[in-house]
Amino acid sequence: MKRNTSYNLLHGLTGVVLIAFAVVLQIKANFGLDSLNALYGNLSLITGFSFGFFSICLGFFFVLTHAWVAKKPINWGALVIAFLIGSSVDFFIRFLFPHLSADTLQMRLLLFVVGIILYGIGIALLIFSKMPSPLEEWQFAVQALTGQSVANSKFLADLSLFALALCAGLASHIGWGQIQIGTLLITMSIGKIISRTLKFLET
C-alpha cells in the first residue's frame, strides 16, 4: 500500500505521543525502565534536571555522533523526534503524573504492563512511519565505529546505554536507580510487541 507524507506523519506523531505517555506510566509504576530511559531517568535523579531535558540533549548527542563518525549530514528529522519525545515526556510528567494512582501493587503492575504495551506500539508506529529516532542514530553510530553487523551493533548500543545508566547510578547516591527487574522484563518483551504491531500495521 502506498503511503503519503501525511499518512506517515500521523503515524509517527502518534508513536511519539505513545512513547512519551508509556514512559511516564513506567516511571510511575517504579519497576524500572529500559536501558535508554533508565539512563535519562538516572541522570535526572542525580542532577535534578528534567527527564525530557536529558532525552533531548542525549538524543541530539546521538544524532550528531552518528553524523560525525559516519561522515554523513546531520539527520534533522531525528533531532526533531528527540525534541518532541523529550518535550512530551516532560509535559505528561507535569500534568498527568500527579493524577496517576499507584498506591497498590496491583495498580503499579497495571501501569507497568500498559506502559510496556504502549511503548512497543509507539516504537512500531515510529518505525512504520519511517521517521528516524535518536536511538537508531546511536545504533548507526556504534555500527560505524565498530564495523559490526546490524544485530551486533544493536546489542552493543543497548549494552553501552545499560552500562552508562548503571555507572551513573552507582557513582551517585541513587544506586541502581531506574535499572530494576522491569528493565529485564521490558528488554525481553518489547521486541515481540514491536514485531506484532508492525505485522498488524502492514496488513
Side-chain angles (χ1 to χ4, degrees), residues 6-192:
S6 298
Y7 186 83
N8 286 339
L9 186 61
L10 176 62
H11 281 84
L13 292 178
T14 302
V16 166
V17 172
L18 286 180
I19 289 170
F21 181 64
V23 169
V24 174
L25 293 182
Q26 292 170 28
I27 293 173
K28 191 69 174 183
N30 196 30
F31 284 118
L33 304 172
D34 64 283
S35 298
L36 176 64
N37 289 306
L39 175 59
Y40 299 156
N42 281 359
L43 290 174
S44 177
L45 290 171
I46 293 167
T47 64
F49 289 105
S50 73
F51 187 103
F53 172 82
F54 286 106
S55 178
I56 294 170
C57 289
L58 289 181
F60 281 22
F61 171 77
F62 296 154
V63 174
L64 296 176
T65 299
H66 177 223
W68 177 59
V69 299
K71 295 180 173 57
K72 292 184 176 180
I74 294 173
N75 191 335
W76 296 102
L79 290 178
V80 172
I81 295 298
F83 176 79
L84 290 176
I85 292 177
S87 300
S88 297
V89 170
D90 278 352
F91 174 83
F92 284 129
I93 287 177
R94 181 175 181 182
F95 294 104
L96 178 65
F97 196 86
H99 305 292
L100 286 173
S101 174
D103 299 328
T104 64
L105 178 60
Q106 292 86 345
M107 192 62 194
R108 289 175 58 205
L109 284 170
L110 177 61
L111 292 177
F112 182 69
V113 171
V114 172
I116 292 178
I117 294 171
L118 293 181
Y119 190 56
I121 294 173
I123 293 174
L125 284 168
L126 198 57
I127 294 171
F128 183 72
S129 72
K130 301 189 182 303
M131 294 174 68
S133 75
L135 179 56
E136 286 181 331
E137 290 290 300
W138 178 239
Q139 292 168 359
F140 294 149
V142 171
Q143 185 176 17
L145 284 169
T146 63
Q148 295 292 316
S149 66
V150 173
N152 288 341
S153 297
K154 184 180 186 309
F155 172 77
L156 291 173
D158 290 342
L159 183 63
S160 67
L161 295 171
F162 178 86
L164 287 171
L166 182 60
C167 289
L170 295 180
S172 65
H173 65 283
I174 66 172
W176 288 63
Q178 293 289 2
I179 296 179
Q180 301 178 43
I181 184 61
T183 304
L184 178 61
L185 296 175
I186 295 170
T187 302
M188 292 173 60
S189 60
I190 199 68
K192 294 180 180 179

